[in-house]
Amino acid sequence: MKYEERLQNVTVLGAAGKMGSGILLLTAVEMADLSLQPENKDKTFVLNAVDVSDEALHGLMGYLRTQVRKLAEKKTVALRAMYADRADLIENYHIIDEYIFDVMNIVRPVNGMEVAYNSNIIFEAIKEDPALKVKIFKQINENSNVEPWFFTNTSSIPITELDEKAELNGNVVGFHFYNPPAVQRLVELIRAKNTKDEVNDFALAYAKKLRKIIVASNDIAGFIGNGHFMRDALHGMLEAESMVDDFGGYVNSVYAINKVTQDFLVRPMGIFQLIDYVGVEVCSYIMSVMNPNLDNEDLHSTLLDKMISQGITGGQYSSGAQKDGFLKYEKGRPVAIWDVNTKKYVDIAGFSADVDAKLGAMPTSMKPWKAVNFSKKKDASLEAIFTEMNGMSGKGVEIAKVYNKRSNEIGRLLVDSKVAANDADVNTVMLTGFFHAYGPINNYLK
Amino acid sequence: MIPHKKVYMYGGYNTISLGTGRKEFNPKKARPGIEHYLKEAGQGVLKQIGGAKNVDDGVIGNFMAARFNNQANLPGFLPMVDEGLSMKYGTSVEGACGSGGLALQTGIRNILSGSDVTLSLGMEVQNTVKAIYGADILAGAGWYQKRKAGHAYFFPGQFSERAGAYFEKYGREKARKGMSMWYHNAITNARLDPTAQEYHNTLPNPYETCMAMEPNGRVFVDNLNFLDCSKVSDGASGIAICSEEGLKKMGVDKSDAVEVVSFVQSVRDITKDPTDLTELEAIKYAANKALEDAGISVHDLATAEIHDCFSIAGILSVEALGLAKPGEGCDYVYEGNTARDGVMPINTSGGLIGWGHPTGGTGVHQAVTIWQQLTGRAGDYQVNIPKDRPYGMTINMGGDDVTISAIVYKRG
């Protein structure tokens, strides 16, 4: 079966979720572009958007229309060529409107899974629950009228486990997009022990068409991205818990670690904000999926357990707005911190000056992540910042040094334990999947 | 043509040219509409000429309010500018980006047919749609039968072809140097005029930036980068066109006005492709006819306002004017001759690329700049007007070398 034939019938499971909607958008556009090629004009392309929530599917179609319009406006030059034979489509807006229709016309929003029985490709982006994934894969595979290939977006569950338990016979591969899939260029590709070559080849071809950066990860729970992030997050939480006395209270300490990880380490967001972004509950869940697969390590946070028991979950609203978690947000900016002891949010403004003073000075060459990361002189800026920091002392600088050392260790652990093939792959994942300005395996801080 | 009686211009006024680059521009926030711009420009002129009671008639130059703003019947806005214009003669004229020039030509003809004062306005408010849809609207300046085969960015596509032909015939490197210097002059001049769209531009070296930005046909057009193009602008300009009697009525001394020495308006068949992509033949005809009618040579001009919707159009106009031989316009510009301290300062308030290009307003803006320069009102962007070269000129173009206005001025 050729590439475009295989893409003639596809299903996205969990299509209205945060990851699913992005995967649906990218796949719908890729399928529409194929359908517009002269040799495919008489073929029908079907993309089933399966989700349990009708309400979410309703929102999904609106999201899709808005996003496809944006994409179409950006690639109108190419679209004019694709519609060159359509005499009735003259102006840009004729062409853009037609393209939006052509993409939307491929998508079938539905909340029953039976439609997947005719699909050659199943993209799965449902809850990170191994038993649920196995159950659904098995059901589709047993009832399918074709021999479907499964592309799972799991960020932590070993693919071999899914393959074996669902009896997929190697027709599965880990295809892990980063959030949001339409923007983030990284895809972690994970082969199970028995993943067939043709499945892997298709995954590579598809990723290439989507202009994604592919990093292959070994099939070890958490892979590269979460392999780093979860350990890094655990370190941050343990640091915060251990420094309560140093900073004069729990919320002060959380604030301090969040600030050091964002500002001193020149990262796009502090570690607690990142946990909130991914979701407090999701992080805890990912750790629990990874932990049984790890030797000599306990990847588990009692602080996350406490947060969840107090009903603080983080994550995002369907609008994309950030839900409150460790931090409380106003217009996307942290304004308060959840105190697990008093079960209340405490305003940052009330103690930040005191904690800032305790953290001490930042290097004079310091610039925010945004200014560094998108600059042509990024490497020189980082060199200057960290060289200066190496000659400094102060609480903030010391925490940053320990933090970077731990991040470094985690990176090397991923290579040593053969999750990643080499240092460069670890760094690529953190640079492109997490938007870090520099990789964890670095020589910046001594 | 040579006016059979004296015709003057006075009391020019420009709104700001609003669009990307201006600090007050925010695409996500609501912006003033055509009413605001017409009022500000119209009232700006009326204030200088003793009010609407001195005005006999009005004309509005505008290209596509019908699509950008869903508004036609523009003459009806003249009495909105000032109720003193109510029940007076009013009209609007359209010739694409040459609409402002037509508003000037119409004003001149009004005076020649017996009026004493015409209020000529030019206006366009284009930021109502995204650039990709604005390109559809602006494509109306070309022949619609050719739209289907044209580029998504239709006019940049047309002038990219001209640039490509020029590159091939005379060399890409030197052409791009001339075009980048054109951009450099546009920006450095615009920084001197607080109403200019590029007034806030802080590029340390606009020439270098433009040279470094390689044209990319995959995202835009093959032979022009974004800086080679004028931007999307909202703005209006106005000026009073009057007879000697009109000046008296307004209580204005001749020496504070400019006199129209000659005026030419000519059109080229919109359904025909240019004979030679490296030549602007209608501009060449109109500009040289205007100089000939005025009885002067191009070297008698102290300054000129040229229609640089694209840098390549600026270069080709320099050649059409006879300032440089074909293929040498780029060198002429690169060597600094058209800079504000060069032998022939061109577009001294930034031109279309620097000041902005509210399409229907541009022709009138050009006249305002020449009036300011020849009467010593140009403030920070004033250039030297040599005594032995007292003339100024405006060239306004609609479409791809289709609807041309060329006017020669001197101080009254």
Side-chain angles (χ1 to χ4, degrees):
Chain A
M1 203 184 272
K2 287 199 300 192
Y3 177 80
E4 63 269 20
E5 283 172 73
R6 193 156 287 282
L7 275 172
Q8 266 184 263
N9 196 314
V10 178
T11 291
V12 176
L13 302 172
K18 181 105 188 144
M19 298 302 287
S21 58
I23 296 169
L24 186 83
L25 169 69
L26 294 171
T27 309
V29 166
E30 168 67 359
M31 288 169 70
D33 288 354
L34 284 173
S35 77
L36 287 169
Q37 308 218 330
E39 64 272 23
N40 294 330
K41 289 228 160 139
D42 54 346
K43 294 177 189 149
T44 306
F45 287 76
V46 172
L47 176 57
N48 302 305
V50 178
D51 202 281
V52 287
S53 161
D54 275 330
E55 194 188 0
L57 284 171
H58 178 85
L60 172 70
M61 297 311 278
Y63 163 83
L64 206 55
R65 188 178 62 164
T66 308
Q67 296 303 316
V68 176
R69 177 172 293 281
K70 279 188 190 165
L71 284 171
E73 286 168 350
K74 275 191 201 142
K75 63 176 189 179
T76 312
V77 174
L79 290 180
R80 287 189 74 90
M82 282 157 86
Y83 289 108
D85 62 334
R86 286 283 299 272
D88 58 323
L89 305 176
I90 297 167
E91 304 210 26
N92 293 337
Y93 80 90
H94 295 148
I95 283 162
I96 290 166
D97 287 353
E98 185 70 10
Y99 184 68
I100 295 168
F101 173 76
D102 282 344
V103 175
M104 305 283 286
N105 196 25
I106 288 174
V107 179
R108 316 272 189 273
V110 60
N111 58 11
M113 219 165 47
E114 293 73 16
V115 291
Y117 299 165
N118 288 317
S119 289
N120 306 310
I121 302 280
I122 314 286
F123 279 104
E124 171 274 310
I126 60 171
K127 203 172 165 222
E128 195 72 338
D129 177 341
L132 182 65
K133 285 183 203 262
V134 166
K135 182 179 153 232
I136 288 175
F137 287 174
K138 209 168 176 182
Q139 184 188 329
I140 293 174
N141 202 39
E142 281 170 0
N143 291 289
S144 180
N145 304 312
V146 295
E147 193 186 328
W149 291 354
F150 294 84
F151 288 70
T152 170
N153 190 53
T154 179
S155 63
S156 55
I157 306 166
I159 313 302
T160 304
E161 180 186 324
L162 296 173
D163 186 17
E164 286 168 0
K165 288 189 177 156
E167 297 168 28
L168 300 178
N169 200 21
N171 287 327
V172 60
V173 72
F175 201 86
H176 178 218
F177 287 93
Y178 276 70
N179 185 9
V183 178
Q184 295 275 36
R185 292 197 59 201
L186 179 69
V187 167
E188 269 181 295
L189 188 63
I190 308 108
R191 286 188 80 150
K193 210 193 299 168
N194 294 320
T195 294
K196 289 177 180 163
D197 285 345
E198 54 265 40
V199 177
N200 196 64
D201 291 347
F202 177 89
L204 286 169
Y206 173 79
K208 200 175 165 200
K209 285 293 291 290
L210 266 51
R211 294 204 275 152
K212 295 292 180 194
I213 296 166
I214 287 260
V215 172
S217 164
N218 257 326
D219 191 22
I220 296 170
F223 316 123
I224 301 172
N226 278 335
H228 185 278
F229 170 44
M230 290 302 147
R231 291 175 172 99
D232 193 64
L234 183 62
H235 174 72
M237 290 185 281
L238 294 173
E239 285 280 275
E241 287 176 300
S242 73
M243 293 186 192
V244 171
D245 293 339
D246 303 71
F247 290 107
Y250 167 78
V251 289
N252 307 33
S253 185
V254 169
Y255 166 83
I257 298 300
N258 197 59
K259 184 182 167 81
V260 169
T261 46
Q262 176 163 13
D263 295 348
F264 286 70
L265 290 174
V266 202
R267 288 185 178 183
M269 49 177 87
I271 193 67
F272 286 100
Q273 191 177 350
L274 181 59
I275 295 170
D276 287 349
Y277 179 79
V278 172
V280 173
E281 220 170 5
V282 176
C283 286
S284 165
Y285 205 86
I286 292 172
M287 286 187 187
S288 72
V289 170
M290 287 171 67
N291 209 22
N293 295 288
L294 304 174
D295 300 327
N296 314 319
E297 225 182 327
D298 185 21
L299 193 63
H300 174 243
S301 163
T302 50
L303 183 55
L304 286 180
D305 295 345
K306 206 182 275 177
M307 293 287 287
I308 295 163
S309 73
Q310 295 176 1
I312 306 299
T313 59
Q316 273 130 55
Y317 294 102
S318 57
S319 67
Q322 179 65 49
K323 286 184 192 169
D324 295 338
F326 278 97
L327 313 176
K328 183 181 175 186
Y329 302 85
E330 269 172 23
K331 291 182 183 167
R333 301 180 78 90
V335 292
I337 292 174
W338 180 257
D339 190 337
V340 284
N341 303 312
T342 61
K343 299 179 192 169
K344 271 194 286 209
Y345 279 105
V346 183
D347 284 349
I348 289 172
F351 57 80
S352 59
D354 180 44
V355 178
D356 290 349
K358 283 186 176 139
L359 287 173
M362 280 195 279
T364 52
S365 55
M366 183 60 83
K367 283 183 227 154
W369 166 80
K370 204 170 174 183
V372 172
N373 199 44
F374 298 105
S375 156
K376 280 182 190 154
K377 295 172 192 150
K378 183 173 94 168
D379 292 345
S381 299
L382 289 169
E383 191 69 48
I385 292 166
F386 291 125
T387 305
E388 198 182 336
M389 220 189 265
N390 279 325
M392 292 169 67
S393 56
K395 188 100 182 136
V397 169
E398 294 311 321
I399 297 172
K401 284 178 184 169
V402 171
Y403 213 100
N404 189 60
K405 191 168 161 241
R406 174 62 187 151
S407 171
N408 213 304
E409 271 170 22
I410 299 168
R412 290 186 200 286
L413 171 74
L414 290 169
V415 178
D416 294 344
S417 60
K418 300 200 164 40
V419 177
N422 50 52
D423 294 3
D425 278 359
V426 174
N427 285 351
T428 301
V429 167
M430 298 314 291
L431 289 166
T432 57
F434 289 79
F435 271 133
H436 282 194
Y438 56 97
I441 303 183
N442 65 71
N443 294 314
Y444 284 132
L445 281 172
K446 312 286 184 242
Chain B
M1 286 177 75
I2 308 163
H4 61 73
K5 70 178 202 187
K6 299 273 190 193
V7 178
Y8 298 91
M9 294 193 197
Y10 176 78
Y13 184 93
N14 301 316
T15 68
I16 62 163
S17 175
L18 185 66
T20 56
R22 287 290 304 193
K23 282 183 182 158
E24 56 274 68
F25 179 73
N26 179 346
K28 287 180 185 150
K29 284 200 178 143
R31 285 173 300 280
I34 58 171
E35 299 81 1
H36 166 87
Y37 285 98
L38 285 171
K39 249 187 204 170
E40 185 187 335
Q43 292 177 354
V45 177
L46 293 178
K47 218 173 266 174
Q48 300 174 63
I49 65 169
K53 68 175 190 315
N54 289 331
V55 176
D56 297 312
D57 34 48
V59 53
I60 295 174
N62 173 266
F63 175 18
M64 274 287 192
R67 284 187 72 182
F68 280 121
N69 322 99
N70 299 314
Q71 183 64 60
N73 204 2
L74 298 181
F77 288 92
L78 284 164
M80 177 208 67
V81 170
D82 189 305
E83 62 178 3
L85 297 176
S86 186
M87 302 303 157
K88 286 183 179 171
Y89 176 95
T91 190
S92 66
V93 286
E94 188 273 311
C97 308
S99 301
L102 296 189
L104 300 176
Q105 299 277 348
T106 303
I108 293 167
R109 282 160 192 268
N110 284 351
I111 303 308
L112 294 179
S113 63
S115 287
D116 283 323
V117 179
T118 288
L119 174 63
S120 283
L121 300 174
M123 172 277 296
E124 207 77 51
V125 173
Q126 304 176 254
N127 282 297
T128 51
V129 296
K130 284 187 183 175
I132 190 73
Y133 304 110
D136 281 338
I137 298 175
L138 296 172
W143 187 27
Y144 194 64
Q145 301 293 328
K146 302 192 87 178
R147 177 69 183 109
K148 176 66 183 170
H151 196 277
Y153 292 96
F154 186 79
F155 265 91
Q158 298 287 101
F159 280 86
S160 169
E161 279 183 27
R162 283 190 178 275
Y166 192 93
F167 291 171
E168 196 162 303
K169 196 163 172 184
Y170 302 118
R172 187 178 190 274
E173 179 69 15
K174 74 167 194 161
R176 284 210 68 228
K177 279 183 170 176
M179 289 156 73
S180 298
M181 190 54 76
W182 188 278
Y183 174 73
H184 186 91
N185 292 339
I187 298 306
T188 47
N189 285 340
R191 285 176 187 158
L192 303 172
D193 182 352
T195 63
Q197 194 162 337
E198 296 290 357
Y199 179 63
H200 301 128
N201 186 307
T202 55
L203 283 179
N205 188 336
Y207 170 80
E208 293 292 341
T209 306
C210 191
M211 273 307 278
M213 193 185 284
E214 275 294 319
N216 178 356
R218 213 172 48 76
V219 292
F220 190 47
V221 294
D222 290 339
N223 304 307
L224 300 174
N225 65 31
F226 293 115
L227 307 181
D228 286 311
C229 308
S230 52
K231 289 180 163 180
V232 175
S233 314
D234 298 347
S237 294
I239 199 161
I241 303 182
C242 44
S243 64
E244 240 177 313
E245 202 54 37
L247 279 183
K248 269 184 215 155
K249 248 198 262 182
M250 288 154 32
V252 170
D253 194 86
K254 274 185 209 171
S255 66
D256 284 327
V258 286
E259 183 187 334
V260 175
V261 185
S262 67
F263 64 105
V264 172
Q265 202 269 315
S266 54
V267 291
R268 191 180 68 79
D269 185 346
I270 195 171
T271 68
K272 293 208 167 73
D273 287 337
T275 330
D276 177 354
L277 284 174
T278 62
E279 186 183 274
L280 295 170
E281 60 178 308
I283 283 189
K284 188 175 177 182
Y285 171 82
N288 287 292
K289 180 78 169 59
L291 290 168
E292 193 186 308
D293 288 352
I296 62 169
S297 112
V298 68
H299 303 293
D300 294 318
L301 296 175
T303 177
E305 288 296 301
I306 279 178
H307 196 97
D308 61 330
C309 44
F310 303 96
S311 59
I312 187 68
I315 305 281
L316 294 178
S317 295
V318 162
E319 294 178 8
L321 262 171
L323 287 167
K325 287 187 198 141
E328 293 177 7
C330 50
D331 306 318
Y332 185 82
V333 172
Y334 179 69
E335 286 156 11
N337 293 300
T338 58
R340 54 188 311 101
D341 56 354
V343 292
M344 179 63 64
I346 287 178
N347 292 0
T348 56
S349 57
L352 284 63
I353 290 177
W355 189 82
H357 186 27
T359 45
T362 288
V364 181
H365 173 256
Q366 293 177 322
V368 174
T369 299
I370 291 296
W371 168 69
Q372 290 169 330
Q373 289 292 1
L374 297 187
T375 61
R377 287 176 157 80
D380 287 345
Y381 52 100
Q382 182 71 48
V383 293
N384 178 39
I385 307 295
K387 283 219 168 59
D388 59 335
R389 287 162 52 198
Y391 298 95
M393 187 176 200
T394 57
I395 299 172
N396 184 209
M397 169 170 72
D400 185 1
D401 195 31
V402 171
T403 306
I404 314 297
S405 291
I407 302 174
V408 174
Y409 313 73
K410 69 171 187 191
R411 191 170 189 163

